[in-house]
mmCIF file of all heavy atoms in Angstrom:
data_model
loop_
_atom_site.group_PDB
_atom_site.id
_atom_site.type_symbol
_atom_site.label_atom_id
_atom_site.label_comp_id
_atom_site.label_asym_id
_atom_site.label_seq_id
_atom_site.Cartn_x
_atom_site.Cartn_y
_atom_site.Cartn_z
ATOM 1 N N GLU S 182 -30.088 -176.798 56.956
ATOM 2 C CA GLU S 182 -30.872 -177.085 55.751
ATOM 3 C C GLU S 182 -30.226 -176.624 54.449
ATOM 4 O O GLU S 182 -30.581 -177.103 53.382
ATOM 5 C CB GLU S 182 -32.247 -176.397 55.867
ATOM 6 C CG GLU S 182 -33.005 -176.677 57.147
ATOM 7 C CD GLU S 182 -33.345 -178.140 57.331
ATOM 8 O OE1 GLU S 182 -33.380 -178.884 56.336
ATOM 9 O OE2 GLU S 182 -33.522 -178.565 58.493
ATOM 10 N N VAL S 183 -29.307 -175.662 54.554
ATOM 11 C CA VAL S 183 -28.826 -175.001 53.333
ATOM 12 C C VAL S 183 -27.889 -175.892 52.517
ATOM 13 O O VAL S 183 -27.106 -176.659 53.066
ATOM 14 C CB VAL S 183 -28.145 -173.661 53.694
ATOM 15 C CG1 VAL S 183 -26.828 -173.865 54.425
ATOM 16 C CG2 VAL S 183 -27.945 -172.801 52.459
ATOM 17 N N SER S 184 -28.025 -175.794 51.189
ATOM 18 C CA SER S 184 -27.186 -176.612 50.321
ATOM 19 C C SER S 184 -26.925 -175.878 49.007
ATOM 20 O O SER S 184 -27.806 -175.190 48.486
ATOM 21 C CB SER S 184 -27.910 -177.936 50.059
ATOM 22 O OG SER S 184 -27.029 -178.840 49.477
ATOM 23 N N LYS S 185 -25.723 -176.042 48.478
ATOM 24 C CA LYS S 185 -25.385 -175.435 47.180
ATOM 25 C C LYS S 185 -25.967 -176.322 46.075
ATOM 26 O O LYS S 185 -25.754 -177.530 46.084
ATOM 27 C CB LYS S 185 -23.867 -175.304 47.044
ATOM 28 C CG LYS S 185 -23.440 -174.555 45.800
ATOM 29 C CD LYS S 185 -21.940 -174.253 45.779
ATOM 30 C CE LYS S 185 -21.594 -173.480 44.518
ATOM 31 N NZ LYS S 185 -20.193 -173.080 44.457
ATOM 32 N N THR S 186 -26.684 -175.719 45.117
ATOM 33 C CA THR S 186 -27.393 -176.551 44.143
ATOM 34 C C THR S 186 -27.060 -176.215 42.687
ATOM 35 O O THR S 186 -27.599 -176.825 41.783
ATOM 36 C CB THR S 186 -28.926 -176.402 44.305
ATOM 37 O OG1 THR S 186 -29.281 -175.059 43.982
ATOM 38 C CG2 THR S 186 -29.393 -176.740 45.705
ATOM 39 N N HIS S 187 -26.226 -175.192 42.454
ATOM 40 C CA HIS S 187 -25.858 -174.852 41.079
ATOM 41 C C HIS S 187 -24.369 -174.536 41.056
ATOM 42 O O HIS S 187 -23.867 -173.866 41.961
ATOM 43 C CB HIS S 187 -26.675 -173.648 40.598
ATOM 44 C CG HIS S 187 -26.594 -173.442 39.111
ATOM 45 N ND1 HIS S 187 -25.477 -172.926 38.486
ATOM 46 C CD2 HIS S 187 -27.476 -173.710 38.125
ATOM 47 C CE1 HIS S 187 -25.682 -172.877 37.178
ATOM 48 N NE2 HIS S 187 -26.892 -173.358 36.934
ATOM 49 N N THR S 188 -23.673 -175.002 40.017
ATOM 50 C CA THR S 188 -22.213 -174.834 40.015
ATOM 51 C C THR S 188 -21.781 -173.372 39.889
ATOM 52 O O THR S 188 -20.786 -172.967 40.485
ATOM 53 C CB THR S 188 -21.569 -175.629 38.862
ATOM 54 O OG1 THR S 188 -22.207 -175.241 37.626
ATOM 55 C CG2 THR S 188 -21.702 -177.131 39.070
ATOM 56 N N LEU S 189 -22.517 -172.555 39.134
ATOM 57 C CA LEU S 189 -22.023 -171.204 38.837
ATOM 58 C C LEU S 189 -23.001 -170.067 39.099
ATOM 59 O O LEU S 189 -22.586 -168.924 39.270
ATOM 60 C CB LEU S 189 -21.592 -171.140 37.354
ATOM 61 C CG LEU S 189 -20.381 -172.010 36.991
ATOM 62 C CD1 LEU S 189 -20.186 -172.050 35.481
ATOM 63 C CD2 LEU S 189 -19.116 -171.484 37.660
ATOM 64 N N ASN S 190 -24.278 -170.355 39.105
ATOM 65 C CA ASN S 190 -25.259 -169.278 39.205
ATOM 66 C C ASN S 190 -25.290 -168.631 40.589
ATOM 67 O O ASN S 190 -25.099 -169.313 41.589
ATOM 68 C CB ASN S 190 -26.643 -169.864 38.887
ATOM 69 C CG ASN S 190 -27.580 -168.805 38.395
ATOM 70 O OD1 ASN S 190 -28.082 -168.005 39.189
ATOM 71 N ND2 ASN S 190 -27.810 -168.761 37.105
ATOM 72 N N VAL S 191 -25.577 -167.335 40.653
ATOM 73 C CA VAL S 191 -25.637 -166.667 41.968
ATOM 74 C C VAL S 191 -26.833 -167.163 42.798
ATOM 75 O O VAL S 191 -26.799 -167.116 44.024
ATOM 76 C CB VAL S 191 -25.690 -165.108 41.866
ATOM 77 C CG1 VAL S 191 -24.374 -164.551 41.380
ATOM 78 C CG2 VAL S 191 -26.840 -164.646 41.016
ATOM 79 N N GLU S 192 -27.867 -167.646 42.111
ATOM 80 C CA GLU S 192 -29.017 -168.217 42.839
ATOM 81 C C GLU S 192 -28.736 -169.720 43.026
ATOM 82 O O GLU S 192 -29.373 -170.573 42.407
ATOM 83 C CB GLU S 192 -30.308 -167.964 42.040
ATOM 84 C CG GLU S 192 -31.583 -168.577 42.607
ATOM 85 C CD GLU S 192 -32.002 -168.068 43.970
ATOM 86 O OE1 GLU S 192 -31.346 -167.174 44.519
ATOM 87 O OE2 GLU S 192 -32.987 -168.596 44.505
ATOM 88 N N THR S 193 -27.765 -170.022 43.863
ATOM 89 C CA THR S 193 -27.336 -171.415 43.993
ATOM 90 C C THR S 193 -27.803 -172.065 45.293
ATOM 91 O O THR S 193 -28.026 -173.258 45.348
ATOM 92 C CB THR S 193 -25.802 -171.535 43.868
ATOM 93 O OG1 THR S 193 -25.443 -172.901 43.947
ATOM 94 C CG2 THR S 193 -25.065 -170.748 44.916
ATOM 95 N N PHE S 194 -27.954 -171.263 46.355
ATOM 96 C CA PHE S 194 -28.290 -171.877 47.648
ATOM 97 C C PHE S 194 -29.795 -172.083 47.785
ATOM 98 O O PHE S 194 -30.596 -171.230 47.421
ATOM 99 C CB PHE S 194 -27.734 -171.033 48.807
ATOM 100 C CG PHE S 194 -26.256 -171.259 48.968
ATOM 101 C CD1 PHE S 194 -25.343 -170.418 48.371
ATOM 102 C CD2 PHE S 194 -25.793 -172.358 49.659
ATOM 103 C CE1 PHE S 194 -23.980 -170.663 48.474
ATOM 104 C CE2 PHE S 194 -24.433 -172.613 49.773
ATOM 105 C CZ PHE S 194 -23.530 -171.758 49.176
ATOM 106 N N LYS S 195 -30.111 -173.264 48.307
ATOM 107 C CA LYS S 195 -31.512 -173.615 48.560
ATOM 108 C C LYS S 195 -31.556 -174.365 49.894
ATOM 109 O O LYS S 195 -30.531 -174.857 50.360
ATOM 110 C CB LYS S 195 -32.042 -174.588 47.489
ATOM 111 C CG LYS S 195 -31.902 -174.106 46.058
ATOM 112 C CD LYS S 195 -33.192 -173.455 45.589
ATOM 113 C CE LYS S 195 -33.125 -173.060 44.158
ATOM 114 N NZ LYS S 195 -33.028 -171.755 43.742
ATOM 115 N N ALA S 196 -32.749 -174.481 50.422
ATOM 116 C CA ALA S 196 -32.954 -175.341 51.591
ATOM 117 C C ALA S 196 -34.035 -176.327 51.168
ATOM 118 O O ALA S 196 -35.224 -176.100 51.407
ATOM 119 C CB ALA S 196 -33.375 -174.520 52.802
#
Side-chain angles (χ1 to χ4, degrees):
E182 308 298 338
V183 70
S184 192
K185 186 172 181 177
T186 65
H187 194 286
T188 54
L189 294 171
N190 204 284
V191 290
E192 176 63 3
T193 182
F194 283 95
K195 305 264 184 252

